[in-house]
Amino acid sequence: MKIKTYRIGRALVAGLGIVFSSAALQAAGLLTPVSQGDQLLDLESHHVRVVINNGFARTEVEQVFSNPNAHELEAVYTAPVPKAGALSELTIYAGERVLQGEVVAKAEAERIYQEEKEQGNEVGKADKNSYQNFEFTVYPVPAKGSVRMTYVYYEPLKIDTGVGRYHYPLEEGGTDDGANSFWTQNDVVSSQFSVEVRLKSNYPLARTRIPNFGGSAQAQEDGSLLYRYESEGAILDQDFVFYYMLEENLPGRLEMLTYRENEDKAGSFMMVMTPGVDLKPLAGGADYVFAIDVSGSMQGKLHTLVSGVKKAIGQLKPEDRFRIVGFNDRAFEVNQGWVNASEQGVRDSLSRLDQLVSNGGTNVYAGVKLAMEKLDADRVATLILVTDGVTNRGIVDPKEFYKIMHKQDLRFYGFLLGNSSNWPLMEVMCEASGGSYRAVSNSDDIIGEVLIAKNKIAFESMRQASLSIKGVNTFDVSDFKIGKIHFGDQLVLFGRYEKGGKATVTLTARVNGEDRSYRTEVVFPERDVAHPELERMWAMDQVRKIEVNQLAGFVEEGEAKVAIRDIGVAYQIVTDETSMIALDDAGFARHGVERRNQERVARELQARVANPASSGAQRVDAQQPMYQQRSHSTGGGAGAIEPWFVLLVAAGGGALAWRKWRRSGASLSALAIGVIAVGAVAGSKLEASDGERPGWTERSGKLAAGKSSIDHSIASFWDVSEEEAAVPVRSGSPVVDTDADRGDRQCVATVNLRNGYASESDSHQVKQRRDRGSRRGHFGLNLFNAIPVFDFVWGDDNERESDAYEGKVRR
């Protein structure tokens, strides 16, 4: 039997990257070496079903692979790893056989897979490649046949400043030229693509938003919200992001989710804490350090980033000070130390910024080290780090990053741009400094990310925070020595408890210069069987904790590997030390594999069926409120957003898009989003208003009768003006769209296939139809509120319009 194998080689990681890792490819999809002569495997369908359940999400992905060749092939599918995703189920439908997954040690899974493949048996495997991707391998995909595969993962979700965010990653964030030149990727879904999200919330929701896909969630009879998107074909190169905003003025609160099978076993808990604390805006003079990536990857984008820093300096108060640090192969001072934000100091610094050029590699450690020098203990200092580069120069050991970040008491905020980025290293830096970071996808709303980040930097934080639980014996918990809690933060903590009973939960912290305590009484149940999946999420949190401690130098590598392997096998989750092997019953019997996951999956299914109305974590302090004030929201934040902040984030997004376009030939759509965000805000100050919702605003005096329609949903969701929210909407076909003024949108994405597979000359065609009501409007773009780029006008009653574009399928 002649076997054609599609197998991915492990990307060689040049170093530990703070913002982008060396991931192998540009999007989720099927892989094959470029030199292979076989026709590409076809990804026929891709369906995503999500349940967001007040504190966590369950994601199920179903897809069908088909083989147009006359011989069997092995399918390899990769997808970016969700940050806290606990991969827990894998099922493969091969003809009449059903293969189910069991988690074993990684080496054992590889041995079993190879033995089964050599014997010609159906087999599948799921691996986790660090923070880069999940890799699913299926053998065989029969000649002229197909295989269906489903997988499931769980992840905790936080509310940040009153806004929840679910992120289904598809777009890769890596830049490995060697892998890109060796591997060809088929990221085209040829037939059916859909995403369904069911949202359960214990608190009233103000609105939802789905960037790029459009539409809105609809209320269901059971109180949940349902969103569904469908298209005939798709390219898996764009993330799906689902925002949901809670109503304002909700109380600070403590919520819990528990699971205890019986009195003979320990229980698990997830504690969700949303502080209601009056944090004051920063007063007096403050110090700001901007760390600017000027490596070679910034060529063509450095001017935009520099423009953002210029805007930042121009917005500082006279009593503020600033420093600018650039880094590539080395780090250097741009303005030779602290500069007062005086007219002369600003003028001199702007002149030096204009002289910066991009070249060399990326030495993030050197940049951070220099940025943290010369800090004064009696002034509030903030370090803002944004980079698009992989750390490939100088010190890359995470232990050294921990040491340097732990030395100084400063406010640290990082923007982690793109998928497959090195979030473990960023976690180490935040763990050491008490800082925070925001992972930003190319599909996120730039304006929303800016609103959330600005509030954290502009307000005081809770300091020296720690949590205690007395009355019930808890163990194997998340770190209760929290450190700093920033404006809008929600804490999600996991742990185990020995037996049920009443407990006192106390949070102590220093707030606005005073020591404060917040406490309440809660009950840990003797038995609670509604959410057995909680054990997997607790286990994944333990793995994360071990990984961060090992990177920081507190746990030996060998000891960490053994602990992670044992946790993965015991609780049936895929980790760097465990894999999931998929066999039929006879296969598991041949290899003596215990069916632990079969029992867990059955228990989780039984709980979902028995408790269909369960809505996740429940408030446990209603009778004795832990906080006396409301929780933080975007509407109660810092108000005006300076354009420099948007420019800084948009520049990073533009940098990522430009790099991907230059190296892979991808379209300029992601880059255009970054440029549009920059241009839309460069000429005026952005305001977040607590008042009336923004109306339809005119984009050009030349079209007085025309109203902008593309920004309405962004502006309405984030409560900002449409000029702030000028980002184009992806062509798509949401099944539900209640915004009557925007009209109905339908999209058909057709993938032209020759001989059953996509070739270099194949194209992806999108046709869009708009059925308008009586409103006249236009779709236009002005860069920097001054330079007209295009303006598409439509009008009047019930006019139907169609347009289409066609381009090559991207690998």
Side-chain angles (χ1 to χ4, degrees), residues 515-758:
D515 293 328
R516 303 270 185 90
S517 293
Y518 309 89
R519 63 173 49 88
T520 190
E521 287 191 354
V522 302
V523 175
F524 286 80
E526 291 288 353
R527 186 172 185 268
D528 187 346
V529 295
H531 292 284
E533 64 273 19
L534 178 59
E535 289 191 326
R536 299 200 205 242
M537 290 188 288
W538 166 83
M540 201 67 202
D541 183 71
Q542 286 291 297
V543 169
R544 180 202 62 82
K545 181 180 176 181
I546 294 170
E547 288 175 339
V548 170
N549 284 330
Q550 184 260 314
L551 289 173
F554 300 131
V555 179
E556 292 293 332
E557 182 178 0
E559 182 182 345
K561 286 178 178 292
V562 171
I564 291 172
R565 181 200 64 198
D566 291 347
I567 291 174
V569 173
Y571 293 92
Q572 291 293 291
I573 57 173
V574 176
T575 70
D576 289 340
E577 307 303 325
T578 57
S579 299
M580 186 171 287
I581 189 74
L583 299 168
D584 59 12
D585 292 340
F588 286 120
R590 280 195 302 273
H591 294 280
V593 176
E594 186 179 351
R595 302 302 302 276
R596 297 180 180 181
N597 205 43
Q598 183 183 52
E599 186 274 331
R600 280 193 175 274
V601 170
R603 189 167 9 125
E604 290 164 355
L605 175 60
Q606 181 181 7
R608 289 197 302 275
V609 172
N611 304 278
S614 176
S615 54
Q618 302 292 312
R619 186 176 182 185
V620 292
D621 70 332
Q623 298 301 318
Q624 183 183 340
M626 192 168 186
Y627 306 97
Q628 303 302 317
Q629 296 178 334
R630 65 182 179 87
S631 59
H632 304 142
S633 63
T634 55
I641 302 175
E642 292 82 355
W644 65 266
F645 212 88
V646 183
L647 283 163
L648 203 60
V649 182
L656 170 62
W658 177 273
R659 171 186 281 180
K660 291 180 62 178
W661 169 77
R662 179 169 61 87
R663 299 195 181 191
S664 68
S667 76
L668 288 171
S669 60
L671 178 61
I673 291 176
V675 174
I676 291 168
V678 172
V681 302
S684 60
K685 204 172 191 180
L686 307 185
E687 297 291 339
S689 171
D690 289 325
E692 184 180 353
R693 291 278 182 265
W696 294 66
T697 59
E698 297 181 7
R699 300 286 294 169
S700 171
K702 297 178 181 179
L703 294 170
K707 303 282 186 162
S708 171
S709 66
I710 68 168
D711 309 323
H712 185 63
S713 61
I714 305 177
S716 295
F717 184 87
W718 295 106
D719 199 8
V720 296
S721 70
E722 292 189 4
E723 276 74 10
E724 295 171 82
V727 178
V729 179
R730 169 183 179 158
S731 300
S733 177
V735 175
V736 179
D737 190 344
T738 60
D739 190 346
D741 286 339
R742 297 175 61 196
D744 297 328
R745 294 176 179 267
Q746 293 187 356
C747 169
V748 178
T750 304
V751 179
N752 299 322
L753 301 178
R754 292 188 178 89
N755 302 319
Y757 68 103

Side-chain angles (χ1 to χ4, degrees), residues 252-272:
R253 56 199 178 273
L254 179 66
E255 299 162 281
M256 280 180 58
L257 184 69
T258 57
Y259 175 78
R260 192 179 186 210
E261 187 177 1
N262 55 56
E263 295 183 1
D264 296 328
K265 296 182 179 181
S268 302
F269 69 90
M270 178 177 72
M271 189 169 287
V272 182

Side-chain angles (χ1 to χ4, degrees), residues 446-457:
I446 293 294
I447 187 65
E449 300 305 318
V450 168
L451 277 168
I452 292 171
K454 176 65 191 301
N455 286 333
K456 297 185 185 303
I457 292 175

